[in-house]
Amino acid sequence: MFSGHSGAGKSTLINAIEPSLKLKVGEISKQHKQGIHTTTFAEMFPLTIGGFIIDTPGIKGFGVVDFDLQEISHFFPEIFKTSAACKYNNCLHVNEPKCAVKKAVENGKIALSRYKNYLQIMEGDSENYRVDIYN
Ligand SMILES: Nc1nc2c(ncn2[C@@H]2O[C@H](COP(=O)(O)OP(=O)(O)OP(=O)(O)O)[C@@H](O)[C@H]2O)c(=O)[nH]1
Ligand SMILES: [Mg+2]
Ligand SMILES: [Zn+2]
């Protein structure tokens, strides 16, 4: 099974092994310098040399693509609980004024490491995960 980031060349490699499959491959986005999720579902193919191969859609970080930003705090119980005291009920706890979460981080009631993880997921910054997965 091939898995990896969109645009890594999974489908291209499978086409090289089994050209008759003619799997669709995509351009790399000029703006984002990454793939454009050309493969949209996992599919298994038999190989002429024997065995099977599975092409999968590119992963992006660990699935943050489909997250509603508001929802991320639901997975951090202490952030979720504290957010009830934020001035704005749709506060994302990033730059908003009168944010109870930022305040709790400042006075040590919420661990800075937890808040940093929260921000990292908010920003879709998956660099750490890439390092973990591929090294
Ligand atoms: N320069 C270079 N380009 C490559 C290589 N492998 C693939 N490409 C190009 O990278 C682009 C993306 O390749 P795909 O095979 O569609 O990538 P993928 O991993 O299947 O991407 P998703 O289906 O979106 O997950 C295509 O334009 C390929 O021609 C490589 O080894 N070198
Ligand atoms: Mg593909
Ligand atoms: Zn807040």
Side-chain angles (χ1 to χ4, degrees):
M1 183 179 94
F2 280 14
S3 77
H5 286 89
S6 181
K10 299 179 292 298
S11 303
T12 304
L13 277 172
I14 294 174
N15 280 338
I17 295 166
E18 197 69 50
S20 65
L21 289 174
K22 296 189 174 62
L23 296 179
K24 199 171 155 202
V25 301
E27 292 297 308
I28 300 295
S29 155
K30 288 197 174 57
Q31 202 184 344
H32 301 292
K33 306 268 190 297
Q34 56 192 17
I36 50 170
H37 295 280
T38 307
T39 304
T40 52
F41 56 92
E43 196 170 356
M44 183 162 77
F45 306 97
L47 294 175
T48 312
I49 54 168
F52 295 83
I53 201 160
I54 302 173
D55 191 16
T56 71
I59 50 166
K60 185 173 181 188
F62 64 122
V64 178
V65 229
D66 298 330
F67 259 105
D68 177 353
L69 285 183
Q70 283 292 331
E71 253 175 61
I72 295 172
S73 73
H74 298 194
F75 300 97
F76 291 80
E78 75 277 42
I79 291 180
F80 185 61
K81 200 164 159 241
T82 308
S83 69
C86 291
K87 177 166 196 238
Y88 301 103
N89 67 4
N90 62 352
C91 186
L92 292 175
H93 329 302
V94 181
N95 288 315
E96 294 90 341
K98 303 232 162 87
C99 168
V101 170
K102 278 198 297 178
K103 193 151 188 199
V105 173
E106 274 160 31
N107 62 30
K109 291 207 169 74
I110 288 177
L112 181 60
S113 60
R114 293 275 291 169
Y115 181 63
K116 277 188 176 160
N117 285 344
Y118 167 81
L119 288 182
Q120 196 180 33
I121 294 171
M122 286 285 287
E123 288 156 11
D125 178 359
S126 54
E127 285 306 319
N128 288 347
Y129 288 89
R130 284 177 206 180
V131 170
D132 288 343
I133 292 168
Y134 297 111
N135 280 352

